[in-house]
Amino acid sequence: MTLTNHASDGLYPELISLLRVPPSTDRYKEMELIRICTASDDARVRSALNTWIQLGLFSEEDGVTVDTRFARRRKEKLDDLTDRLPALCRQLIFDVRHALPLWPASGERTDEGIGPTADFVRELAWTLAQDIYTFPLHSTEEQAVTLESQQETSGKFIFKNRSRWSGLRFWARYTGFSAGDTGCIDPTNAIRAELAEIFRGTTVIPASIFLRELSSRLPVLDFGRYRVEVENALNPSYWRARPRDICRCHCRSHCGGSN
């Protein structure tokens, strides 16, 4: 499975439909759950369900249901659970058990042997690592992959093929890393969603602590684990590392560094 391969995976509308199915005390069988979500045997619903079972959002022990870690809280409305879904997706996507390894050990341009969310994590980290003043934020697949081809090194590709760019923009928007219908990469919404956990009731924290916490929770941003791994894999002849004291995470808000 891969997140940004539209041909083989369901997208977030199917995921939302699956999440909103009323809970059953007997748990749903997989085919029954798919039937509830679609009038036909929809391959996208099936793919979405299989993907998010693998990632742990759903449990399939004795039938399928939302895993107890992510189920509705006591007295929580279904719409509120739906609003929490992007945060749950980020949590599972960035889990090291799902994101790593970012590249196959074979060194080939393939999805075989990588983490189930590695394609999205790798592509998103690379996009956020680009110069915000020169990167074509409204780029087509051709423009993005042409730039990537200049920066990649042997065995360290970013996009498996050109079609993955549209998949990246689709999931980036839902998880808070893209703004509006234009596909402009902008992590403001994802950052904003993490502020309450980072500040934990206080109003002021040192910028260094803020950036450390932020990069831990969103490791595709500056100084984050996946961001660093992707940056280290780029060709220095075509990609220049940012100064160590500058944050270049594309956000509209100030986050302790300079955009």
Side-chain angles (χ1 to χ4, degrees), residues 189-253:
N189 289 333
I191 292 173
R192 182 180 292 120
E194 300 295 335
L195 294 181
E197 288 298 320
I198 292 175
F199 281 88
R200 296 186 180 91
T202 189
T203 57
V204 178
I205 59 175
S208 59
I209 294 178
F210 176 80
L211 287 175
R212 185 184 65 203
E213 291 289 325
L214 184 63
S215 62
S216 175
R217 303 183 70 85
L218 302 176
V220 292
L221 297 184
D222 292 85
F223 318 112
R225 176 175 184 172
Y226 307 135
R227 176 68 165 272
V228 170
E229 189 166 347
V230 167
E231 288 182 353
N232 288 340
L234 300 181
N235 186 338
S237 297
Y238 291 94
W239 182 85
R240 187 175 62 181
R242 45 143 178 76
R244 294 300 299 173
D245 60 345
I246 291 181
C247 172
R248 194 178 51 183
C249 67
H250 294 221
C251 64
R252 295 192 297 266
S253 58

Side-chain angles (χ1 to χ4, degrees), residues 86-173:
L88 302 182
C89 290
R90 288 194 299 271
Q91 177 182 341
L92 292 170
I93 288 170
F94 294 143
D95 190 314
V96 294
R97 294 170 295 179
H98 304 148
L100 297 178
L102 293 179
W103 291 280
S106 66
E108 299 178 358
R109 189 178 292 268
T110 177
D111 291 324
E112 297 296 326
I114 64 173
T117 64
D119 60 334
F120 177 66
V121 170
R122 190 180 61 232
E123 294 156 10
L124 184 58
W126 174 79
T127 306
L128 288 164
Q130 301 307 306
D131 186 331
I132 64 174
Y133 300 109
T134 61
F135 184 70
L137 293 176
H138 305 285
S139 66
T140 63
E141 291 93 334
E142 183 175 356
Q143 291 172 314
V145 178
T146 296
L147 180 61
E148 179 263 344
S149 66
Q150 296 173 334
Q151 298 180 4
E152 71 175 10
T153 54
S154 178
K156 302 294 184 180
F157 65 94
I158 303 299
F159 296 93
K160 181 175 181 289
N161 53 51
R162 296 183 178 214
S163 66
R164 300 298 177 91
W165 175 248
S166 58
L168 164 65
R169 293 197 300 185
F170 195 88
W171 278 105
R173 179 180 180 183

